[in-house]
Amino acid sequence: QVQLQESGPGLVKPSQTLSLTCTVSGGSITTSYYAWSWIRQPPGKGLEWMGVIAYDGSTYYSPSLKSRTSISRDTSKNQFSLQLSSVTPEDTAVYYCARRAMVGSWYAEGPWHEYDYWGQGTQVTVSS
């Protein structure tokens, strides 16, 4: 059973960088052919795909967030991380990490049912 757990600060000031880590257990982030995504849900809105890092370390980002987003990994800790720079209150959301198989449009937002494992989510509020 694969488990994902998000961690990071719950409060970030405007203009700062939001940093979150997803720790994976029960499976390796280097296992072929899986990809590991960051997804968020602002209050009162739907899910928004932010970006993905594949088992081989390749990354893809949402066009709307690409200039501010970076996803990296630490294979020794079986973790992958999100950095979102220059945050504003509009970045307030519950942030999730999730896994999906590399089929179809895995490098972009795909049907949510194609994500087979999710973290519980972590609330991040951007406020001064």
Side-chain angles (χ1 to χ4, degrees):
Q1 179 83 359
V2 176
Q3 294 184 316
L4 295 85
Q5 179 67 59
E6 304 90 350
S7 60
L11 180 64
V12 182
K13 296 186 185 306
S15 80
Q16 293 187 341
T17 296
L18 179 162
S19 297
L20 296 174
T21 295
C22 183
T23 301
V24 179
S25 59
S28 173
I29 62 172
T30 61
T31 298
S32 309
Y33 293 91
Y34 287 101
W36 308 84
S37 291
W38 284 99
I39 297 159
R40 68 181 182 179
Q41 185 167 28
K45 297 184 179 180
L47 295 169
E48 178 184 18
W49 181 79
M50 301 181 70
V52 62
I53 185 164
Y55 75 98
D56 61 358
S58 56
T59 54
Y60 297 87
Y61 301 105
S62 166
S64 64
L65 295 171
K66 185 176 183 178
S67 64
R68 300 195 291 131
T69 306
S70 177
I71 297 175
S72 59
R73 66 179 185 172
D74 185 336
T75 57
S76 68
K77 296 181 180 179
N78 213 34
Q79 296 175 332
F80 63 105
S81 298
L82 170 74
Q83 289 199 314
L84 181 67
S85 64
S86 304
V87 297
T88 72
E90 285 66 43
D91 294 309
T92 294
V94 177
Y95 286 75
Y96 299 93
C97 53
R99 188 191 84 162
R100 64 169 293 167
M102 291 173 64
V103 296
S105 299
W106 66 268
Y107 47 86
E109 177 181 322
W112 301 122
H113 69 261
E114 293 189 355
Y115 293 84
D116 56 358
Y117 290 101
W118 293 70
Q120 65 183 23
T122 187
Q123 173 70 46
V124 178
T125 300
V126 179
S127 175
S128 56

